[in-house]
Amino acid sequence: MAAPLARPAKTPAPQAAPPPKGPAVPAGPTVSAGPGKPGGPGTRRGQRRAVALFTIPFFALFTAVTVLPMLYAAWMSLYREESSGLGFGGTERIFAGFGNFTEALGNEAFLRSFGNIALYCALYIPAMVGGALILALLVDSTMARARRFFQIAYFLPHAVPGLIASLIWLYLYTPGLSPITDALDALGAQWNFFGQDEAVFSVVNISAWQWTGYNMIIFYAGLQAVPREVLEAATVDGAGALRTALQVKIPMIRPTVVLTLLFTCVGAIQLFDAPKLVQLRANTMGEDWSPTMFIYTAAFKGHDYGLAAASSLLLALVAGLLSFVVTKLGNRWKAS
């Protein structure tokens, strides 16, 4: 019988030599990033150039269409044009100081225009913001179907330019031409869209029709950011759809609501196109129904550019103060 083959002896693996004992060798100097390396001075300069490249066009346009016109209006507000003699010698520009501002603040029509806008805001803002919020909640509900269709359908009125929308509604307000007035007459209801008391409702309807869908999209986007697990927890706790909307969804989109209120208030005091066209039929409104209409009339019909410039600056001041108040109240509401 053959002897078994002998297995070769295993060679022990070489072990790494222990590090020599002695004083530690100091590490070499840290090499900083060079001009061409990430984080170096060259990279930072490139980032600054990129930031400047994207921001300079904005500041250039902002200066051209906002800052310079405001400075020019401030300069014009300090002067007044007066005719010499019997009017045959042309006009002369004289320095008026704050006289134009005093005249604007003492003008009854200018002050009354702010009262008209206050009434307009009291009717328009709750109707538009409330309607947009209700539509957004309905589209966001679990029972909603064809959401994309309703989003587009609600947004379409905003795609119509404001002037065209005002012309459309001016036609719909005109008796004998409008199917709305014909339907009201058939029902025995009497409503004069151009009446002294009804004209403001006509203006509110035009603005609400145009802007409700736009703000509905903003509110719907805010509702999409609400965590789904929060809504599921509310459902598990027994909250119904109405309670979830009032106590969970709306409180969680408070910043969106505050921002919408801010933009709405600032836009409302600059209202021009809708009342200007309605005023063509509603003679009781007058050509100075809103502050912007007063400024337009003073500049292009009265040719009093100093008064118009002073009034526009006062309007800008009111818009700034209104923005401050709405922001403060909104922050308190969000903090609560």
Side-chain angles (χ1 to χ4, degrees):
M1 185 174 180
L5 298 175
R7 297 182 180 179
K10 294 183 178 180
T11 304
Q15 297 181 356
K21 298 182 179 180
V25 179
T30 304
V31 180
S32 60
K37 296 181 180 181
T43 303
R44 289 192 292 270
R45 284 195 297 268
Q47 291 176 349
R48 294 192 190 100
R49 284 195 296 266
V51 172
L53 182 63
F54 284 103
T55 56
I56 286 177
F58 164 77
F59 285 108
L61 290 174
F62 179 77
T63 302
V65 303
T66 302
V67 178
L68 292 180
M70 290 185 65
L71 294 177
Y72 183 62
W75 177 77
M76 290 184 61
S77 66
L78 301 177
Y79 292 87
R80 176 185 293 120
E81 292 185 355
E82 292 185 355
S83 300
S84 59
L86 298 176
F88 299 103
T91 59
E92 180 183 3
R93 175 171 291 180
I94 62 174
F95 182 77
F98 293 99
N100 290 319
F101 293 92
T102 304
E103 182 180 354
L105 293 175
N107 193 301
E108 183 181 354
F110 183 63
L111 298 179
R112 186 173 59 248
S113 66
F114 283 98
N116 296 331
I117 287 297
L119 175 60
Y120 165 83
C121 291
L123 298 172
Y124 166 67
I125 294 178
M128 189 277 295
V129 176
L133 193 55
I134 291 174
L135 291 177
L137 291 171
L138 290 175
V139 174
D140 186 64
S141 64
T142 56
M143 296 183 295
R145 297 293 183 269
R147 298 182 180 182
R148 185 65 61 186
F149 168 77
F150 285 107
Q151 291 178 40
I152 297 175
Y154 293 145
F155 183 78
L156 278 179
H158 181 72
V160 179
L163 182 61
I164 303 301
S166 301
L167 288 173
I168 293 173
W169 279 103
L170 190 65
Y171 160 76
L172 294 175
Y173 290 156
T174 303
L177 298 176
S178 169
I180 297 177
T181 57
D182 294 341
L184 291 176
D185 293 339
L187 295 175
Q190 298 294 328
W191 183 267
N192 182 12
F193 289 99
F194 303 114
Q196 182 175 1
D197 299 328
E198 296 87 354
V200 63
F201 293 97
S202 301
V203 177
V204 168
N205 176 68
I206 296 175
S207 301
W209 178 82
Q210 187 179 9
W211 288 96
T212 299
Y214 173 83
N215 290 286
M216 185 276 296
I217 296 295
I218 296 178
F219 290 151
Y220 179 75
L223 291 173
Q224 292 300 296
V226 176
R228 298 296 105 177
E229 53 270 18
V230 176
L231 302 179
E232 294 174 359
T235 304
V236 172
D237 290 342
L242 181 59
R243 185 178 178 185
T244 301
L246 296 178
Q247 299 185 3
V248 178
K249 291 184 177 182
I250 294 180
M252 296 194 73
I253 62 169
R254 285 177 180 176
T256 306
V257 177
V258 172
L259 185 64
T260 302
L261 287 173
L262 176 61
F263 289 158
T264 303
C265 292
V266 173
I269 64 174
Q270 303 178 51
L271 185 67
F272 179 77
D273 49 358
K276 183 63 177 176
L277 287 178
V278 173
Q279 180 266 333
L280 297 176
R281 298 298 307 273
N283 298 325
T284 56
M285 291 182 62
E287 295 183 344
D288 48 14
W289 187 83
S290 69
T292 51
M293 292 174 63
F294 174 85
I295 295 170
Y296 174 85
T297 303
F300 299 106
K301 292 190 176 182
H303 302 288
D304 194 344
Y305 300 106
L307 176 61
S311 302
S312 64
L313 291 177
L314 291 174
L315 179 61
L317 178 61
V318 172
L321 293 176
L322 185 61
S323 302
F324 177 78
V325 172
V326 173
T327 303
K328 281 294 184 181
L329 296 177
N331 290 337
R332 290 184 180 180
W333 182 48
K334 288 188 291 184
S336 64

